[in-house]
Amino acid sequence: MANIANKQMICEVLMEAAKKDKDIVVLCSDSRGSASATPFANAFPEQFVEVGIAEQDLVGIAAGMARVGKRTFPMSPACFIAARSYEQCKVDVAYSHTNVKLVGISGGVSYGALGMSHHSAQDIACMASIPGMRVYLPSDCNQTRKLMEVLVKDNEPAYIRVGRNAVDPVYSEDNVPFEMDKATWVCKGEDVAIVACGEMVLYAKQAAEILKQKGISATVLDMYCVKPFDKAAVIEAARHAKAVISVEEHSPFGGLGSMVAQTVAENCPKKCVTMSLPDEPVITGNSKEVFAYYKLTGEGIAAKAEELLNG
């Protein structure tokens, strides 16, 4: 299979499932093109709802349909579904315990030059803080398939954040280690533990390869399941390392880095730093340019690891 964007993989899994399950419904907020959901809308018009640019209604309608037995997947830019619709996500979905899978597309800084209004650097923190809301950031299309194959069958609320474009695969199509709600061990080492989520996992893996060439062994932990957070995996990784680094496409507050730091501090204190977007509007540029500027790259992560180990 050719490498495709995570959002396209989500649509493919939903189309496969919708053939057998007529209760699966996709909803969009004038976002079917951005969400790669046009093929679904064309193939299953009776299982597709176009709400228009009304994200609060999008979530509310999805929750209402879920109350009468539908399995709903509202898809909208992460910057809007996690901010403009926050009260509906909290009350109509999580508190009401409706079977709604919120899909935040073009997450993080995917929208690049559109700026802060279209960036979602707070969504991990705000969604993870809602009781009953699971939060997932798959790292590539192959892991996205595994995750979605579980989510189309379960009945619990969830928020899934994916980027806009295709990313290089972390896993091969025929080798995708996956256990629901358990972090994936990409590689194991004894010098530094790197915990990452979403698109940052690829760069963490690249950092481990760079460090290996310098005689430094690194663990890379793919925390695609930001919530429920796999504390046991982080503790194990930290206990077998001299330092811990978390890497995320998110604000430095309340996201993966905060969870990792809290877990390490409480269970196995040692050097621990967070690599993230800054607490300010980010520079203008595409995702790769933004990542490079803030050193959220294989080279940047490797350099931070060396700094920690030599400090």
Side-chain angles (χ1 to χ4, degrees):
M1 178 185 294
N3 187 36
I4 61 175
N6 292 352
K7 62 181 183 178
Q8 186 176 339
M9 181 59 77
I10 289 174
C11 182
E12 290 189 5
V13 174
L14 288 174
M15 288 182 69
E16 291 172 8
K19 294 175 183 177
K20 301 177 182 179
D21 187 350
K22 298 306 179 183
D23 284 332
I24 288 178
V25 178
V26 171
L27 304 90
C28 285
S29 55
D30 195 30
S31 53
R32 72 180 75 182
S34 297
S36 296
T38 300
F40 186 100
N42 292 339
F44 303 98
E46 298 301 315
Q47 293 169 255
F48 179 82
V49 178
E50 175 57 72
V51 175
I53 305 176
E55 290 82 6
Q56 293 169 321
D57 291 339
L58 174 77
V59 177
I61 292 169
M65 295 181 76
R67 292 292 289 179
V68 295
K70 301 299 181 181
R71 297 179 177 275
T72 59
F73 292 80
M75 306 176 75
S76 184
C79 57
F80 301 136
I81 201 168
R84 188 173 295 160
S85 308
Y86 189 61
E87 182 176 3
Q88 286 71 32
C89 294
K90 181 180 72 171
V91 178
D92 297 350
V93 178
Y95 180 63
S96 300
H97 199 256
T98 50
N99 186 8
V100 178
K101 308 302 190 293
L102 304 154
V103 181
I105 59 173
S106 299
V109 294
S110 294
Y111 278 125
L114 292 180
M116 189 172 176
S117 65
H118 281 64
H119 294 164
S120 55
Q122 82 301 322
D123 55 339
I124 297 176
C126 69
M127 287 297 189
S129 66
I130 300 176
M133 182 69 75
R134 297 173 295 169
V135 179
Y136 300 106
L137 280 80
S139 57
D140 70 4
C141 65
N142 296 314
Q143 187 183 67
T144 299
R145 170 174 282 281
K146 292 287 188 179
L147 173 64
M148 289 302 299
E149 287 174 344
V150 175
L151 292 180
V152 294
K153 297 176 182 178
D154 82 15
N155 300 312
E156 304 298 317
Y159 171 68
I160 307 100
R161 189 238 263 188
V162 294
R164 187 179 190 184
N165 301 312
V167 295
D168 292 337
V170 175
Y171 311 101
S172 63
E173 184 179 355
D174 58 355
N175 183 22
V176 190
F178 183 84
E179 183 178 355
M180 191 63 178
D181 296 334
K182 297 293 183 182
T184 300
W185 296 83
V186 179
C187 58
K188 291 188 176 183
E190 298 179 348
D191 292 317
V192 61
I194 306 170
V195 186
C197 62
E199 293 187 19
M200 293 295 104
V201 176
L202 174 64
Y203 298 112
K205 182 180 179 181
Q206 292 174 351
E209 294 167 353
I210 293 171
L211 292 168
K212 184 177 181 179
Q213 295 173 1
K214 299 182 178 183
I216 300 171
S217 65
T219 287
V220 173
L221 201 58
D222 178 351
M223 192 62 71
Y224 79 89
C225 49
V226 176
K227 184 186 176 186
F229 184 68
D230 191 350
K231 284 187 177 181
V234 171
I235 293 169
E236 181 181 347
R239 282 179 174 162
H240 292 89
K242 300 167 186 172
V244 180
I245 300 173
S246 62
V247 192
E248 61 185 322
E249 186 184 356
H250 190 266
S251 158
F253 306 114
L256 176 67
S258 297
M259 298 178 194
V260 170
Q262 181 177 343
T263 299
V264 172
E266 291 178 349
N267 295 278
C268 46
K270 57 187 59 185
K271 292 181 181 178
C272 183
V273 299
T274 298
M275 297 185 70
S276 68
L277 297 172
D279 182 29
E280 61 187 38
V282 303
I283 64 160
T284 297
N286 61 39
S287 293
K288 289 186 176 180
E289 290 169 338
V290 172
F291 296 158
Y293 186 85
Y294 296 111
K295 297 181 171 54
L296 298 174
T297 60
E299 294 80 5
I301 298 166
K304 177 61 71 174
E306 290 187 83
E307 177 187 322
L308 273 179
L309 295 171
N310 296 330

